[in-house]
Amino acid sequence: GKLGSDERVYVFISAAMPLQTVRNYAASVARLRDPNVTLVMRGFVEGMTKIQPTIRFIASVLQRDASCNPADGKCEMLPASLAVDPLLFRRYGIDRVPAVVYARGVKAEDAALSEGDAKNTSITENHTVYGDASLEYLIEQIQRETGSRSLKDLSGM
């Protein structure tokens, strides 16, 4: 990837957003091909008691071909990571979606725990942008604000 090991781009999404918008973000994350760029949901679809709605939602977001029916055979998935992590929403004060956060100076004590947990992860700085715009455009906005060379490389500017 283009981002340093201490840099992250989190793309905060919700199942309440239009599916095509979320699919567009997933396709952009896949195109960037950086393991430090992640789609993030606050919680499970229809709550934690039912996992199937969340699995179906994630599958519909990450399927390369939206018309593919998994029951009919294997559907190719986009290579994009998607996490369910309410701690990241809280850490960055995300109160509406879509939102994109760029964090640098990220240092986690335990990689298996949430980077949203302030007891586990320290962060030097972060920048947030909101709006229903392309991920590439939102990353360019943050890059202009921060002067980050790795974001410039990531977005191909």
Side-chain angles (χ1 to χ4, degrees):
K2 306 278 189 206
L3 294 178
S5 62
D6 69 336
E7 294 176 292
R8 304 289 184 275
V9 171
Y10 301 112
V11 183
F12 292 90
I13 61 166
S14 166
M17 292 170 53
L19 181 59
Q20 191 54 55
T21 300
V22 178
R23 287 181 51 77
N24 289 343
Y25 283 119
S28 292
V29 169
R31 272 194 305 277
L32 292 175
R33 297 179 184 260
D34 193 298
N36 290 340
V37 180
T38 305
L39 295 160
V40 184
M41 292 175 52
R42 180 188 313 268
F44 293 96
V45 177
E46 296 183 30
M48 286 185 63
T49 59
K50 301 177 187 170
I51 192 73
Q52 285 304 318
T54 303
I55 291 170
R56 281 192 297 273
F57 175 74
I58 292 171
S60 67
V61 167
L62 296 180
Q63 282 178 204
R64 191 172 296 277
D65 177 1
S67 65
C68 181
N69 182 352
D72 296 338
K74 197 170 190 178
C75 296
E76 186 180 354
M77 303 303 250
L78 292 168
S81 73
L82 192 153
V84 176
D85 193 337
L87 294 176
L88 283 171
F89 272 78
R90 189 175 315 134
R91 176 111 194 224
Y92 295 107
I94 304 302
D95 57 5
R96 62 192 184 278
V97 292
V100 176
V101 169
Y102 167 64
R104 58 181 159 193
V106 177
K107 184 177 185 302
E109 296 298 321
D110 185 342
L113 298 177
S114 170
E115 291 181 354
D117 183 349
K119 293 176 186 158
N120 179 55
T121 307
S122 60
I123 298 164
T124 306
E125 65 177 299
N126 65 84
H127 302 270
T128 305
V129 292
Y130 292 94
D132 187 357
S134 75
L135 179 57
E136 293 79 3
Y137 174 78
L138 296 171
I139 288 173
E140 286 174 19
Q141 295 298 103
I142 296 171
Q143 193 284 324
R144 281 192 202 98
E145 186 179 319
T146 64
S148 166
R149 179 72 186 151
S150 53
L151 281 182
K152 190 172 189 168
D153 292 345
L154 183 67
S155 65
M157 294 178 5

